Amino acid sequence: MGLISNRVERHEIKPGDHIYTYRAVFTYSHHGIFVGGSKVVHFRPERNLKSIPETSSNLDDPTSHPCPTFPDCGFRQPNSGVVLSCLDCFLRNGSLYCFEYEVSPSVFLTKIRGGTCTTASSDPSETVIHRAMYLLQNGFGNYDVFQNNCEDFALYCKTGLLIQDRQGVGRSGQASSIIGAQLAALISSPLKLLMPSPVGVATVTAGMYCMSRYATDIGVRSDVIKVPVEDLAVNLRWNCPEEEVAENETSDGQITTR
């Protein structure tokens, strides 16, 4: 088990696994659910899925060029960012990593980079695949880099957990890392005046960063609920009339399940 990520070989992954690969020289990671048969269901910004000429910058888009191996590679419903891709097109020659579930708090805190693990437990693989395939047909709402991204999609498929406060940060560990790093740097800035040693300041900043990541992990958050995939559209108010939204809201404005 590495401190940064969990790299695996193709023969090691199983249907229902949450996998990811890095893009743009490890700038960010792209996540999806392996559904078997060398196929991956993943979530991408819809605007990046328009038919455009193939260039070096859009090789990530399986809909922009035909896949020589799988005819259905790149399948998606209209106006949806949920895509079915073959494993080769998903990886784009990158390395394969497997997201870890049910890690201990100590292991979580030693992970240098967010978006590699969670303390939350995963549901059975059959349930995970059902959610992924259902969302392939019905969509996962609008893509948002901080509140509804590819990692959020994979985390929901694996756990069925939804955050009640949609105004805050989503389930994504990557998004939490970005916000946590900025917050830690901001809070620790005054310590430079009190601590003469830069090592001490760096240690405190690193500690704040790790704790902020841990506090936003879906395995420890108190503002998450289990939502059946069939009820997801109602809870996220996708294409939901205003009067129906009002009926589904409780007095404190939280999300409700049927």
Side-chain angles (χ1 to χ4, degrees), residues 240-247:
C240 192
E242 293 184 1
E243 56 271 17
E244 185 177 344
V245 168
E247 293 177 359

Side-chain angles (χ1 to χ4, degrees), residues 1-57:
M1 183 182 299
L3 288 178
I4 297 179
S5 60
N6 187 22
R7 183 173 176 176
V8 295
E9 299 299 329
R10 296 193 181 200
H11 68 271
E12 297 181 87
I13 59 175
K14 304 178 297 297
D17 277 351
H18 174 173
I19 62 174
Y20 62 99
T21 188
Y22 286 102
R23 300 277 197 260
V25 196
F26 290 88
T27 302
Y28 68 97
S29 57
H30 185 56
H31 297 244
I33 297 296
F34 180 66
V35 295
S38 295
K39 301 290 183 65
V40 182
V41 178
H42 54 118
F43 184 47
R44 302 193 54 230
E46 183 189 341
R47 64 179 179 275
N48 290 345
L49 295 172
K50 305 300 182 182
S51 296
I52 53 179
E54 179 179 340
T55 65
S56 59
S57 62

Side-chain angles (χ1 to χ4, degrees), residues 126-160:
E126 296 81 5
T127 303
V128 175
I129 295 173
H130 168 70
R131 290 188 185 123
M133 299 307 293
Y134 183 91
L135 295 175
L136 176 64
Q137 297 296 330
N138 296 274
F140 194 63
N142 295 324
Y143 186 97
D144 185 285
V145 67
F146 289 110
Q147 294 185 338
N148 199 44
N149 58 38
C150 60
E151 186 182 344
D152 291 315
F153 170 83
L155 283 167
Y156 173 76
C157 289
K158 289 288 286 185
T159 66

